[in-house]
Amino acid sequence: TGNTYSGGTYLNDAAIDVMDDGVLGAVPAEPTVNIVAQGISQIRAKNGKAQLTLHENRGIYIARDAVFSFAGDRGAYQVTTTVNGPVSGYGALISAEWAGGGKAGIVELNGDISAFHGIYFPMGILRIPDAAQISPRARIHFGEMDENDTGVGEGIIETSGVIDRRGGCEAGVGVWG
């Protein structure tokens, strides 16, 4: 904790174990992109920590073709990550992990997410306080393919309001399986 570097954190095909928000350097004075994810990148709550909260001024940008996720380390699946800052970009956001047996990681997006036009891929519980914040250009993808190429439904979105998406594969749709 207490890192004082500034300029943000850039993850490119990398994972970082985080004990608390202070590990990610100085908090910006106002909401701005402070974490950039490229490639396949992940922020993990370190040492089985059950709660990780990111500051409201620490924005996250997920680059086009990037896959970014939150998780626990050492098999700790029941981690709650609260993102209070804005999330933007065009990549894929995988929310936590689902371990089965009722064990789900939780990602709570409390900041402005209206500029995230990528793919939400809930693999645990994704909390969005107001469904109206979800960009109409963002895709929502439920389920994954297992080793037999059969759709295995995973993931829950907890929100208030209505998520209105037609099925399909292009921007702004819902995908199951």
Side-chain angles (χ1 to χ4, degrees):
T1 68
N3 280 329
T4 58
Y5 72 90
S6 62
T9 301
Y10 295 85
L11 301 171
N12 189 0
D13 287 331
I16 184 171
D17 292 342
V18 177
M19 282 295 293
D20 60 43
D21 186 77
V23 173
L24 296 169
V27 174
E30 58 188 44
T32 188
V33 172
N34 187 256
I35 298 170
V36 175
Q38 296 178 308
I40 300 173
S41 299
Q42 184 175 69
I43 290 181
R44 295 189 299 239
K46 188 168 176 57
N47 295 331
K49 190 172 172 66
Q51 176 73 36
L52 176 63
T53 301
L54 300 182
H55 193 277
E56 63 190 25
N57 288 351
R58 199 179 295 285
I60 298 172
Y61 177 80
I62 304 169
R64 188 175 308 277
D65 298 326
V67 177
F68 180 68
S69 64
F70 295 98
D73 71 348
R74 300 183 189 172
Y77 292 103
Q78 291 180 288
V79 175
T80 298
T81 304
T82 304
V83 180
N84 291 315
V87 177
S88 61
Y90 299 91
L93 172 61
I94 299 176
S95 62
E97 299 178 26
W98 183 265
K103 297 178 180 175
I106 299 169
V107 174
E108 188 168 331
L109 301 178
N110 292 329
D112 181 4
I113 59 171
S114 63
F116 180 69
H117 306 303
I119 303 169
Y120 291 101
F121 202 124
M123 289 186 64
I125 298 171
L126 175 60
R127 285 189 183 142
I128 299 173
D130 183 358
Q133 284 195 338
I134 301 172
S135 167
R137 294 182 3 194
R139 287 177 40 196
I140 301 170
H141 189 124
F142 290 98
E144 70 174 15
M145 301 308 251
D146 64 14
E147 64 274 1
N148 298 316
D149 289 330
T150 58
V152 178
E154 294 186 2
I156 297 168
I157 293 181
E158 291 181 359
T159 190
S160 64
V162 176
I163 299 174
D164 187 9
R165 297 283 197 266
R166 62 182 175 76
C169 295
E170 66 275 0
V173 300
V175 179
W176 285 263

